[in-house]
Amino acid sequence: MLIRYITQIGRYFLMLKEIFNKQTKWSVMRNLIFKEIDDLIIDSLGIVAFISFFVGGVVAIQTALNLTNPLIPKYLIGFATRQSVVLEFAPTFISVIMAGKMGSFITSSIGTMRVTEQIDALEVMGVNSLNYLVFPKIIALLLYPFLIGIAMFLGVLGGWMAGVYGGFISSAEFINGTQMDFIPFHIVYAFIKTLIFAMLLATIPSFHGYYMKGGALEVGKASTVSFVWTSVSIILFNYILTQLLLGS
C-alpha cells in the first residue's frame, strides 16, 4: 500500500515536469486557455457567490447569538465575520467545494478522453497531450484568486446584511468591527494559499483523469478519488501554510 502511494506521488511529479515540455503552439493554446477560463472560473461564479453570501450571514448570526454577555462589545460580530471569512472560509472552504465542482469536471473530461482514446490520438499526432490538456487549466486557474476575492467581499457583505437587518447590530458598529485591528498581511496570506490551492485544483484531478484505466464506470470512480485526494491535499497544505506564514 505504502509503495503504491509513493509510486503515485512520484508519477504525479513526473507529470508536472512533462506538462511544461514541448509546448503547444500559442495560437492553439490561447483558445484552450479562454475555454478553460469559461469552464472553470466563469461557471463557478454563481455557486461561489451564493455560498459566500449566506455563510457570511450565518457566521455573523452565530457570533451574535453567542455574545450573551452585555459587557462584550457588539462590534466583535463584524470583527469575527471578517476574520473567519478572510482567513479560512473564502480561501479554504471554497477551495474544498471547488475540489468537488472543478475537480470532478476536470477528472471526468480528461478521463472520458482517455476512455475514448482521444489522448492516444493526440500522442500519435505528435502533440504533448499533458501540455495540451493540463497547461491551459493551470493558466486559467491563475485567475482563481479573483474568485476568492469575490467570496471574501460577499461573505462580509452577507454578514453585514444578516447582522443589521436581523437586528443584532447597527451598521456603524459592524463596519467598525470589520475595520478594527486589520492586518493587511492576512489578505496576502489568503491569496498565497489560494494560488497554491489553484495549482492543486488544476493538477491533482488532471492526474487522476489522465492515468485512469477502464471504461465509463471507472471515470466516475476516478472523479470520486480525485475529489478525496484534492480535498486532503488542500487541508494539509492549509495547515502547513498557516504554520509557516502565521505561526510565531
Side-chain angles (χ1 to χ4, degrees):
M1 181 70 78
L2 180 61
I3 298 298
R4 186 162 67 87
Y5 286 143
I6 293 172
T7 303
Q8 290 288 80
I9 291 169
R11 204 178 191 188
Y12 170 76
F13 283 106
L14 287 173
M15 182 197 81
L16 292 184
K17 175 177 173 289
E18 186 63 29
I19 288 169
F20 299 97
N21 289 338
K22 196 179 173 187
Q23 295 283 325
T24 305
K25 303 193 288 190
W26 172 244
S27 58
V28 176
M29 183 60 71
R30 182 181 58 212
N31 293 331
L32 292 172
I33 290 170
F34 283 131
K35 182 180 182 301
E36 296 298 347
I37 289 172
D38 186 48
D39 288 341
L40 301 178
I41 302 297
I42 305 301
D43 282 358
S44 300
L45 277 171
I47 186 70
V48 167
F50 179 81
I51 293 173
S52 301
F53 184 83
F54 285 101
V55 170
V58 168
V59 170
I61 292 169
Q62 293 278 20
T63 306
L65 292 175
N66 282 283
L67 291 180
T68 53
N69 191 327
L71 298 177
I72 298 175
K74 284 191 173 182
Y75 63 71
L76 285 178
I77 297 170
F79 176 79
T81 302
R82 184 200 74 203
Q83 291 295 89
S84 301
V85 169
V86 170
L87 290 178
E88 281 307 312
F89 165 72
T92 307
F93 186 58
I94 289 292
S95 294
V96 171
I97 293 170
M98 289 299 105
K101 185 190 179 297
M102 287 184 191
S104 297
F105 173 76
I106 291 170
T107 304
S108 59
S109 60
I110 295 178
T112 301
M113 290 184 73
R114 173 63 75 188
V115 169
T116 55
E117 300 181 351
Q118 293 178 57
I119 293 176
D120 298 328
L122 288 172
E123 295 287 349
V124 168
M125 290 188 291
V127 176
N128 179 356
S129 56
L130 277 170
N131 177 260
Y132 184 88
L133 294 172
V134 184
F135 186 74
K137 293 174 174 57
I138 294 174
I139 299 301
L141 281 170
L142 290 177
L143 292 175
Y144 187 56
F146 165 72
L147 210 58
I148 298 305
I150 290 174
M152 289 178 185
F153 171 75
L154 289 175
V156 175
L157 178 65
W160 174 78
M161 290 194 72
V164 173
Y165 291 102
F168 298 105
I169 185 174
S170 70
S171 179
E173 283 177 314
F174 187 92
I175 293 169
N176 181 40
T178 58
Q179 295 173 337
M180 187 182 67
D181 293 337
F182 176 67
I183 301 171
F185 181 71
H186 284 172
I187 300 290
V188 177
Y189 154 79
F191 283 128
I192 289 172
K193 286 204 303 184
T194 299
L195 283 171
I196 301 293
F197 296 162
M199 186 68 178
L200 297 174
L201 285 168
T203 55
I204 295 177
S206 297
F207 172 80
H208 286 283
Y210 190 85
Y211 291 108
M212 64 147 290
K213 294 176 181 176
L217 181 62
E218 279 69 23
V219 173
K221 290 180 179 177
S223 297
T224 304
V225 172
S226 82
F227 168 68
V228 170
W229 281 109
T230 307
S231 301
V232 167
S233 302
I234 286 170
I235 299 300
L236 181 62
F237 272 89
N238 183 46
Y239 174 80
I240 294 169
L241 290 167
T242 302
Q243 185 65 42
L244 287 174
L245 298 173
L246 297 184
S248 55

mmCIF file of all heavy atoms in Angstrom, residues 46-71:
data_model
loop_
_atom_site.group_PDB
_atom_site.id
_atom_site.type_symbol
_atom_site.label_atom_id
_atom_site.label_comp_id
_atom_site.label_asym_id
_atom_site.label_seq_id
_atom_site.Cartn_x
_atom_site.Cartn_y
_atom_site.Cartn_z
ATOM 1 N N GLY A 46 -21.374 31.761 -9.902
ATOM 2 C CA GLY A 46 -22.699 31.686 -9.278
ATOM 3 C C GLY A 46 -22.687 30.942 -7.956
ATOM 4 O O GLY A 46 -23.172 31.459 -6.934
ATOM 5 N N ILE A 47 -22.128 29.732 -7.952
ATOM 6 C CA ILE A 47 -22.139 28.907 -6.740
ATOM 7 C C ILE A 47 -21.268 29.532 -5.654
ATOM 8 O O ILE A 47 -21.614 29.511 -4.468
ATOM 9 C CB ILE A 47 -21.695 27.452 -7.061
ATOM 10 C CG1 ILE A 47 -21.834 26.547 -5.837
ATOM 11 C CG2 ILE A 47 -20.265 27.398 -7.588
ATOM 12 C CD1 ILE A 47 -23.245 26.248 -5.447
ATOM 13 N N VAL A 48 -20.132 30.135 -6.054
ATOM 14 C CA VAL A 48 -19.243 30.786 -5.077
ATOM 15 C C VAL A 48 -19.950 31.984 -4.441
ATOM 16 O O VAL A 48 -19.916 32.168 -3.220
ATOM 17 C CB VAL A 48 -17.914 31.217 -5.744
ATOM 18 C CG1 VAL A 48 -17.126 32.161 -4.826
ATOM 19 C CG2 VAL A 48 -17.070 30.004 -6.091
ATOM 20 N N ALA A 49 -20.618 32.798 -5.256
ATOM 21 C CA ALA A 49 -21.324 33.976 -4.745
ATOM 22 C C ALA A 49 -22.441 33.567 -3.788
ATOM 23 O O ALA A 49 -22.589 34.146 -2.695
ATOM 24 C CB ALA A 49 -21.887 34.792 -5.908
ATOM 25 N N PHE A 50 -23.216 32.564 -4.172
ATOM 26 C CA PHE A 50 -24.351 32.111 -3.356
ATOM 27 C C PHE A 50 -23.885 31.595 -2.000
ATOM 28 O O PHE A 50 -24.387 32.009 -0.942
ATOM 29 C CB PHE A 50 -25.103 31.006 -4.115
ATOM 30 C CG PHE A 50 -26.281 30.447 -3.376
ATOM 31 C CD1 PHE A 50 -27.505 31.106 -3.385
ATOM 32 C CD2 PHE A 50 -26.172 29.257 -2.667
ATOM 33 C CE1 PHE A 50 -28.598 30.584 -2.694
ATOM 34 C CE2 PHE A 50 -27.249 28.736 -1.982
ATOM 35 C CZ PHE A 50 -28.470 29.397 -1.994
ATOM 36 N N ILE A 51 -22.896 30.690 -2.009
ATOM 37 C CA ILE A 51 -22.413 30.088 -0.758
ATOM 38 C C ILE A 51 -21.756 31.136 0.129
ATOM 39 O O ILE A 51 -22.001 31.188 1.340
ATOM 40 C CB ILE A 51 -21.430 28.933 -1.061
ATOM 41 C CG1 ILE A 51 -22.183 27.776 -1.732
ATOM 42 C CG2 ILE A 51 -20.753 28.445 0.216
ATOM 43 C CD1 ILE A 51 -21.275 26.664 -2.232
ATOM 44 N N SER A 52 -20.914 32.005 -0.467
ATOM 45 C CA SER A 52 -20.180 33.006 0.313
ATOM 46 C C SER A 52 -21.133 33.942 1.052
ATOM 47 O O SER A 52 -20.953 34.222 2.246
ATOM 48 C CB SER A 52 -19.271 33.829 -0.599
ATOM 49 O OG SER A 52 -18.363 33.001 -1.268
ATOM 50 N N PHE A 53 -22.134 34.425 0.337
ATOM 51 C CA PHE A 53 -23.067 35.396 0.920
ATOM 52 C C PHE A 53 -23.784 34.811 2.132
ATOM 53 O O PHE A 53 -23.844 35.432 3.195
ATOM 54 C CB PHE A 53 -24.074 35.835 -0.141
ATOM 55 C CG PHE A 53 -25.022 36.897 0.322
ATOM 56 C CD1 PHE A 53 -24.655 38.239 0.305
ATOM 57 C CD2 PHE A 53 -26.293 36.565 0.786
ATOM 58 C CE1 PHE A 53 -25.525 39.225 0.738
ATOM 59 C CE2 PHE A 53 -27.170 37.541 1.222
ATOM 60 C CZ PHE A 53 -26.790 38.877 1.199
ATOM 61 N N PHE A 54 -24.305 33.605 1.981
ATOM 62 C CA PHE A 54 -25.114 33.032 3.061
ATOM 63 C C PHE A 54 -24.263 32.489 4.206
ATOM 64 O O PHE A 54 -24.687 32.556 5.371
ATOM 65 C CB PHE A 54 -26.053 31.957 2.507
ATOM 66 C CG PHE A 54 -27.219 32.541 1.767
ATOM 67 C CD1 PHE A 54 -27.238 32.582 0.384
ATOM 68 C CD2 PHE A 54 -28.281 33.104 2.447
ATOM 69 C CE1 PHE A 54 -28.304 33.143 -0.303
ATOM 70 C CE2 PHE A 54 -29.359 33.673 1.777
ATOM 71 C CZ PHE A 54 -29.368 33.688 0.393
ATOM 72 N N VAL A 55 -23.076 31.973 3.914
ATOM 73 C CA VAL A 55 -22.216 31.520 5.017
ATOM 74 C C VAL A 55 -21.721 32.718 5.823
ATOM 75 O O VAL A 55 -21.635 32.650 7.054
ATOM 76 C CB VAL A 55 -21.032 30.675 4.484
ATOM 77 C CG1 VAL A 55 -20.016 30.426 5.593
ATOM 78 C CG2 VAL A 55 -21.538 29.346 3.949
ATOM 79 N N GLY A 56 -21.409 33.840 5.145
ATOM 80 C CA GLY A 56 -21.052 35.060 5.877
ATOM 81 C C GLY A 56 -22.168 35.489 6.811
ATOM 82 O O GLY A 56 -21.927 35.885 7.962
ATOM 83 N N GLY A 57 -23.401 35.384 6.317
ATOM 84 C CA GLY A 57 -24.556 35.710 7.154
ATOM 85 C C GLY A 57 -24.679 34.785 8.351
ATOM 86 O O GLY A 57 -24.960 35.232 9.476
ATOM 87 N N VAL A 58 -24.460 33.507 8.143
ATOM 88 C CA VAL A 58 -24.552 32.527 9.233
ATOM 89 C C VAL A 58 -23.478 32.791 10.286
ATOM 90 O O VAL A 58 -23.745 32.721 11.497
ATOM 91 C CB VAL A 58 -24.420 31.089 8.667
ATOM 92 C CG1 VAL A 58 -24.220 30.080 9.805
ATOM 93 C CG2 VAL A 58 -25.653 30.721 7.861
ATOM 94 N N VAL A 59 -22.243 33.101 9.831
ATOM 95 C CA VAL A 59 -21.150 33.408 10.783
ATOM 96 C C VAL A 59 -21.534 34.596 11.663
ATOM 97 O O VAL A 59 -21.345 34.568 12.889
ATOM 98 C CB VAL A 59 -19.831 33.698 10.021
ATOM 99 C CG1 VAL A 59 -18.775 34.257 10.977
ATOM 100 C CG2 VAL A 59 -19.306 32.438 9.356
ATOM 101 N N ALA A 60 -22.095 35.649 11.048
ATOM 102 C CA ALA A 60 -22.487 36.841 11.811
ATOM 103 C C ALA A 60 -23.589 36.511 12.825
ATOM 104 O O ALA A 60 -23.525 36.930 13.990
ATOM 105 C CB ALA A 60 -22.953 37.939 10.861
ATOM 106 N N ILE A 61 -24.599 35.744 12.385
ATOM 107 C CA ILE A 61 -25.711 35.396 13.283
ATOM 108 C C ILE A 61 -25.227 34.520 14.443
ATOM 109 O O ILE A 61 -25.585 34.744 15.605
ATOM 110 C CB ILE A 61 -26.838 34.691 12.489
ATOM 111 C CG1 ILE A 61 -27.491 35.681 11.523
ATOM 112 C CG2 ILE A 61 -27.884 34.113 13.440
ATOM 113 C CD1 ILE A 61 -28.428 35.021 10.525
ATOM 114 N N GLN A 62 -24.407 33.496 14.132
ATOM 115 C CA GLN A 62 -23.884 32.606 15.181
ATOM 116 C C GLN A 62 -23.055 33.379 16.195
ATOM 117 O O GLN A 62 -23.153 33.155 17.412
ATOM 118 C CB GLN A 62 -23.015 31.503 14.549
ATOM 119 C CG GLN A 62 -23.776 30.522 13.695
ATOM 120 C CD GLN A 62 -24.456 29.440 14.521
ATOM 121 O OE1 GLN A 62 -24.684 29.605 15.716
ATOM 122 N NE2 GLN A 62 -24.816 28.348 13.873
ATOM 123 N N THR A 63 -22.226 34.317 15.690
ATOM 124 C CA THR A 63 -21.416 35.137 16.605
ATOM 125 C C THR A 63 -22.310 36.001 17.485
ATOM 126 O O THR A 63 -22.097 36.099 18.704
ATOM 127 C CB THR A 63 -20.450 36.042 15.800
ATOM 128 O OG1 THR A 63 -19.680 35.235 14.904
ATOM 129 C CG2 THR A 63 -19.510 36.800 16.728
ATOM 130 N N ALA A 64 -23.322 36.629 16.874
ATOM 131 C CA ALA A 64 -24.236 37.499 17.630
ATOM 132 C C ALA A 64 -24.982 36.714 18.707
ATOM 133 O O ALA A 64 -25.138 37.193 19.847
ATOM 134 C CB ALA A 64 -25.227 38.153 16.670
ATOM 135 N N LEU A 65 -25.417 35.515 18.385
ATOM 136 C CA LEU A 65 -26.182 34.702 19.341
ATOM 137 C C LEU A 65 -25.329 34.212 20.504
ATOM 138 O O LEU A 65 -25.845 33.883 21.566
ATOM 139 C CB LEU A 65 -26.820 33.509 18.616
ATOM 140 C CG LEU A 65 -27.928 33.851 17.608
ATOM 141 C CD1 LEU A 65 -28.390 32.601 16.880
ATOM 142 C CD2 LEU A 65 -29.107 34.536 18.307
ATOM 143 N N ASN A 66 -24.002 34.137 20.283
ATOM 144 C CA ASN A 66 -23.121 33.655 21.352
ATOM 145 C C ASN A 66 -22.526 34.786 22.190
ATOM 146 O O ASN A 66 -21.862 34.519 23.184
ATOM 147 C CB ASN A 66 -21.984 32.809 20.751
ATOM 148 C CG ASN A 66 -22.452 31.408 20.377
ATOM 149 O OD1 ASN A 66 -22.611 30.555 21.239
ATOM 150 N ND2 ASN A 66 -22.693 31.183 19.101
ATOM 151 N N LEU A 67 -22.745 36.039 21.771
ATOM 152 C CA LEU A 67 -22.290 37.178 22.574
ATOM 153 C C LEU A 67 -23.389 37.570 23.562
ATOM 154 O O LEU A 67 -24.073 38.578 23.401
ATOM 155 C CB LEU A 67 -21.938 38.361 21.670
ATOM 156 C CG LEU A 67 -20.709 38.205 20.778
ATOM 157 C CD1 LEU A 67 -20.490 39.470 19.947
ATOM 158 C CD2 LEU A 67 -19.462 37.911 21.593
ATOM 159 N N THR A 68 -23.580 36.747 24.571
ATOM 160 C CA THR A 68 -24.678 36.967 25.527
ATOM 161 C C THR A 68 -24.284 37.921 26.649
ATOM 162 O O THR A 68 -25.152 38.489 27.309
ATOM 163 C CB THR A 68 -25.118 35.628 26.142
ATOM 164 O OG1 THR A 68 -23.956 34.955 26.676
ATOM 165 C CG2 THR A 68 -25.758 34.728 25.084
ATOM 166 N N ASN A 69 -22.989 38.097 26.870
ATOM 167 C CA ASN A 69 -22.532 38.996 27.945
ATOM 168 C C ASN A 69 -22.660 40.451 27.488
ATOM 169 O O ASN A 69 -22.073 40.841 26.478
ATOM 170 C CB ASN A 69 -21.069 38.681 28.285
ATOM 171 C CG ASN A 69 -20.614 39.376 29.560
ATOM 172 O OD1 ASN A 69 -21.058 40.486 29.863
ATOM 173 N ND2 ASN A 69 -19.733 38.717 30.303
ATOM 174 N N PRO A 70 -23.419 41.268 28.199
ATOM 175 C CA PRO A 70 -23.612 42.678 27.774
ATOM 176 C C PRO A 70 -22.322 43.499 27.811
ATOM 177 O O PRO A 70 -22.249 44.573 27.230
ATOM 178 C CB PRO A 70 -24.643 43.215 28.775
ATOM 179 C CG PRO A 70 -24.556 42.306 29.955
ATOM 180 C CD PRO A 70 -24.180 40.962 29.426
ATOM 181 N N LEU A 71 -21.300 43.007 28.527
ATOM 182 C CA LEU A 71 -20.026 43.731 28.605
ATOM 183 C C LEU A 71 -19.184 43.559 27.340
ATOM 184 O O LEU A 71 -18.240 44.322 27.112
ATOM 185 C CB LEU A 71 -19.220 43.256 29.822
ATOM 186 C CG LEU A 71 -19.864 43.494 31.194
ATOM 187 C CD1 LEU A 71 -19.001 42.906 32.299
ATOM 188 C CD2 LEU A 71 -20.085 44.987 31.429
#
